[in-house]
Amino acid sequence: MTAPDLPADAGPVAIICGGGTFPFTVADALTRSGRGAVLFALRGWADPERVQHYPHHWAHVAQLGRFLRLARREGCRDVIFIGTLVRPSFRQLINFDLATLRVLPRAIRHFYGGDNHLLTGMARMLEEHGFRLLGAHEVAPEILVQEGALGQVVPTARDRDDIAHALDVLHAIGPLDIGQGVVVANRHVIAVEAAEGTDQMLERVAELRRNGRFRAPLGTGVLVKAPKPGQDHRFDLPSIGPYTIDGIAQAGLAGLAVAAGGVIVAEPQIVVQKADKAKAFVFGFPETAGGSA
Amino acid sequence: MTAPDLPADAGPVAIICGGGTFPFTVADALTRSGRGAVLFALRGWADPERVQHYPHHWAHVAQLGRFLRLARREGCRDVIFIGTLVRPSFRQLINFDLATLRVLPRAIRHFYGGDNHLLTGMARMLEEHGFRLLGAHEVAPEILVQEGALGQVVPTARDRDDIAHALDVLHAIGPLDIGQGVVVANRHVIAVEAAEGTDQMLERVAELRRNGRFRAPLGTGVLVKAPKPGQDHRFDLPSIGPYTIDGIAQAGLAGLAVAAGGVIVAEPQIVVQKADKAKAFVFGFPETAGGSA
């Protein structure tokens, strides 16, 4: 099935492919829909084992010219950008090509402006070259977390209170392009995610339990993830996966709540299995949900 | 020299003494001023080696009744509360006495309400028993960071820009009782402090450099600390010390900026020595300073 506004003759989708499993989930969905995908696998990030099973080209992160040439030759018009991508160093940027060189001053500005600026800037550059940047969720909506509980456990009233408080925090920091995750227990903010990412933040919460700085009973506290307000959903949506549930369990939290329709989930069956086993909830709240009034 | 509104006949100051070196710095200042101090050393937190050199009583954190009785006997009317105090577990609270038992429901509510609530609640309880809670800075103003550069290094224009952005972040999260510190580099938020404390946050920044998630050149980025907006300055002011400079240096930051008059500094001479050696600035900005407009 093709998404309504995407005619099947639009050609395969160019997937600029970072690390992790999401790019392959999306490529599989595009294959099933008959539209097809071509991976532009980023060296150093994309998993070579898995890339080889798809139509693909390897590229360096700064080879914009190479990407434009190959994507046109493949008949791609739509581009999605998916997968983990740790901010590149300038050393990696030394591999830039001519087209990149031309946009380099702008790229540097984006590079230093926070993740939102970086990615919005890349989208604009692609569009100036005649491509259309789509979100992975537009071509494979099944990767998004839906509203309600994913597994058998549901949040208690106290958990919902913590979720509301966490949303207050995310709304307060949202305009500042900081992060997409926060851990709250009994209305006390335990951790705020910034450059370290969700997994490392959860490791920190587990450590705070071990060293006595976070003493709420096991099974107390929530991780809440949501896109930044105004965040462009076409890339860099927050994501969860089986490893997130492992982190929740090790941190002794009650569960994980995410903005439904605004967070992508890797391997949802395994996520549900692990969450049920850990007696943790995985809950999608309406993305318009505010914090406490 | 006695502070203007503190008659010398007000009796010694009762110092409820947590961990770290600040309680002794303040006790020394009170001794020099002729007013004197009695330490109420909290078991498990206060340093027994140093406590023994001062008039003192040992107490458990939840022995409010014992404190009230002894402090009255010592002729204390003014109380200050200083030193690190990791949130006690309920196991530690099992040592509560009768007076504590009477206020326990309230204490539990404060306990779960975030640090501001916890400490504001304790202050109110003391005042209901006829004591006056003062800030350590009121009896020993020399422990506060003053405006300007403490050492030889001053922030560059880029550092000042990062400081302004960090203040924006602190202002945004301030009402939510999260933390008092943030690390910003090139207007990118690298880390936000919550329950882990400043030292652990700086360790995280150092690790983010090692694992490539924070790639700005060495000597880029600032740590900014300020009291939460509306925070009661009588206790729980943010603090810095030689270990903070060690953390700054290991994280490869340009320096450390704090709200002048709102942050206490331990061992300032060593702080300046270490900062100069690390070519890092330690800067006090006016506490009324806003972020970028």
Side-chain angles (χ1 to χ4, degrees), chain B residues 16 70 108 110 222:
Chain B
I16 299 178
L70 290 171
I108 290 171
H110 296 316
V222 300

Side-chain angles (χ1 to χ4, degrees), chain A:
Chain A
M1 195 189 71
T2 322
D5 60 338
L6 293 174
D9 62 354
V13 174
I15 298 183
I16 300 178
C17 173
T21 63
F22 286 116
F24 310 107
T25 308
V26 174
D28 291 344
L30 283 161
T31 305
R32 280 196 302 275
S33 78
R35 182 151 185 214
V38 180
L39 302 187
F40 290 82
L42 295 175
R43 263 185 220 288
W45 287 287
D47 175 356
E49 269 304 305
R50 300 198 63 176
V51 164
Q52 64 181 340
H53 301 296
Y54 299 83
H56 69 275
H57 300 280
W58 283 97
H60 283 284
V61 70
Q63 292 180 316
L64 179 62
R66 175 173 161 81
F67 167 78
L68 297 172
R69 196 168 59 246
L70 290 170
R72 283 200 189 102
R73 190 190 302 163
E74 294 279 2
C76 302
R77 188 181 154 235
D78 293 334
V79 181
I80 65 175
F81 180 97
I82 192 160
T84 57
L85 185 64
V86 171
R87 193 168 284 253
S89 68
F90 270 109
R91 201 160 305 163
Q92 285 167 288
L93 288 178
I94 287 169
N95 278 311
F96 51 62
D97 62 16
L98 262 181
T100 311
L101 192 57
R102 239 171 270 131
V103 296
L104 199 61
R106 233 186 332 151
I108 290 172
R109 207 169 57 242
H110 297 314
F111 185 81
Y112 279 127
D115 290 325
N116 270 352
H117 291 121
L118 180 66
L119 294 164
T120 310
M122 288 177 57
R124 213 174 299 127
M125 286 192 261
L126 283 174
E127 286 173 352
E128 284 170 13
H129 285 89
F131 291 89
R132 178 167 67 161
L133 192 78
L134 297 177
H137 61 289
E138 291 175 276
V139 295
E142 62 267 44
I143 66 172
L144 293 176
V145 176
Q146 305 299 310
E147 276 188 43
L150 261 71
Q152 296 182 346
V153 187
V154 294
T156 63
R158 190 200 56 207
D159 296 332
R160 285 174 187 266
D161 191 54
D162 281 342
I163 293 169
H165 193 64
L167 279 171
D168 283 343
V169 175
L170 289 174
H171 289 168
I173 66 174
L176 295 157
D177 195 16
I178 296 180
Q180 304 165 319
V182 63
V183 173
V184 169
N186 291 313
R187 303 188 71 80
H188 192 230
V189 178
I190 307 301
V192 177
E193 178 186 338
E196 75 277 22
T198 303
D199 297 345
Q200 267 203 45
M201 177 178 62
L202 289 174
E203 282 172 27
R204 176 161 89 247
V205 174
E207 195 197 327
L208 288 168
R209 277 205 186 271
R210 284 193 296 273
N211 70 20
R213 280 167 177 262
F214 170 36
R215 293 179 185 266
L218 287 173
T220 311
V222 299
L223 164 67
V224 175
K225 294 190 76 168
K228 299 164 196 165
Q231 179 172 338
D232 192 328
H233 283 203
R234 289 177 300 173
F235 33 57
D236 192 36
L237 281 182
S239 62
I240 61 168
Y243 45 89
T244 319
I245 308 301
D246 295 340
I248 291 284
Q250 275 149 29
L253 300 181
L256 155 66
V258 304
V263 173
I264 54 185
V265 53
E267 305 178 272
Q269 299 84 351
I270 301 175
V271 164
V272 167
Q273 274 169 26
K274 281 187 177 254
D276 285 348
K277 198 173 159 206
K279 301 195 190 326
F281 64 81
V282 179
F283 189 77
F285 54 81
E287 206 185 347
T288 52
S292 57

